[in-house]
Amino acid sequence: MLSFSTPRKSMLASLTLVAMTVLPFTAQATTTEARSARGAEMIRHLNNGEAQPNLEAMREEFPFLAEATEAYALGDVWGRDVLDDRTRQLAAVAAMAALGETGLMRVHAGYALNVGASEDELKEIVYMITVPAGFPRAIAASQVLSELFSERRSSAIE
């Protein structure tokens, strides 16, 4: 069993304090509630102040999955400040499109548009994924984006 002397304990305590002070907030461990709150805040930010319907529906039948998504994916990962929101959403769109996950791609494409990405940038993502993911996935992604663009244009007119 390891036993630390008092000077060693003091040094470990000092290093912990330095790490908590120097590391960005998102790198520090926090309570699940705080991480979930940060995730909920991120969703509202990306979704023009609204809750995310898919997440809320998941919360009804799969509360653990919803909590994990909100705390980890949204609070811990999306809450980091290394990438700006626009870049993060374009990356998410590319990843989801390349994986063939067009439903999630659509959600993130909407967020991308909400935080300043253009339709042309999203179209470019579709062109880019033809190389690693192939034409069938790019075509499927293009169809979903066309529907999203059309819906957003229609709602802007109303």
Side-chain angles (χ1 to χ4, degrees):
M1 181 161 130
L2 293 174
S3 174
F4 296 116
S5 64
T6 303
R8 175 103 179 185
K9 286 180 186 177
S10 178
M11 183 178 78
L12 287 172
S14 296
L15 287 174
T16 301
L17 181 59
V18 168
M20 290 176 68
T21 305
V22 174
L23 291 175
F25 172 73
T26 55
Q28 297 177 20
T30 60
T31 66
T32 300
E33 292 80 16
R35 294 167 57 230
S36 290
R38 193 168 55 230
E41 181 181 328
M42 179 57 67
I43 279 292
R44 285 189 303 278
H45 168 69
L46 294 172
N47 205 30
N48 293 331
E50 300 292 325
Q52 211 303 315
N54 294 339
L55 182 63
E56 295 311 311
M58 188 188 333
R59 199 179 308 280
E60 292 297 315
E61 288 197 68
F62 299 93
F64 175 78
L65 184 58
E67 181 181 296
T69 299
E70 189 170 65
Y72 175 71
L74 300 167
D76 293 347
V77 178
W78 255 249
R80 294 173 54 80
D81 60 3
V82 177
L83 297 175
D84 61 88
D85 293 331
R86 191 182 140 284
T87 302
R88 183 176 288 109
Q89 291 310 312
L90 290 172
V93 169
M96 297 303 172
L99 290 169
E101 294 293 335
T102 57
L104 289 171
M105 184 213 67
R106 179 188 174 98
V107 169
H108 287 283
Y111 295 160
L113 292 168
N114 291 346
V115 296
S118 69
E119 287 185 9
D120 286 340
E121 289 172 312
L122 290 169
K123 289 176 183 179
E124 195 65 26
I125 296 294
V126 170
Y127 305 147
M128 293 293 300
I129 68 158
T130 61
V131 176
F135 280 89
R137 288 193 174 166
I139 291 167
S142 74
Q143 292 168 340
V144 170
L145 285 178
S146 290
E147 291 171 8
L148 176 65
F149 297 159
S150 177
E151 288 171 13
R152 287 177 75 106
R153 288 181 196 128
S154 293
S155 67
I157 293 171
E158 297 171 1

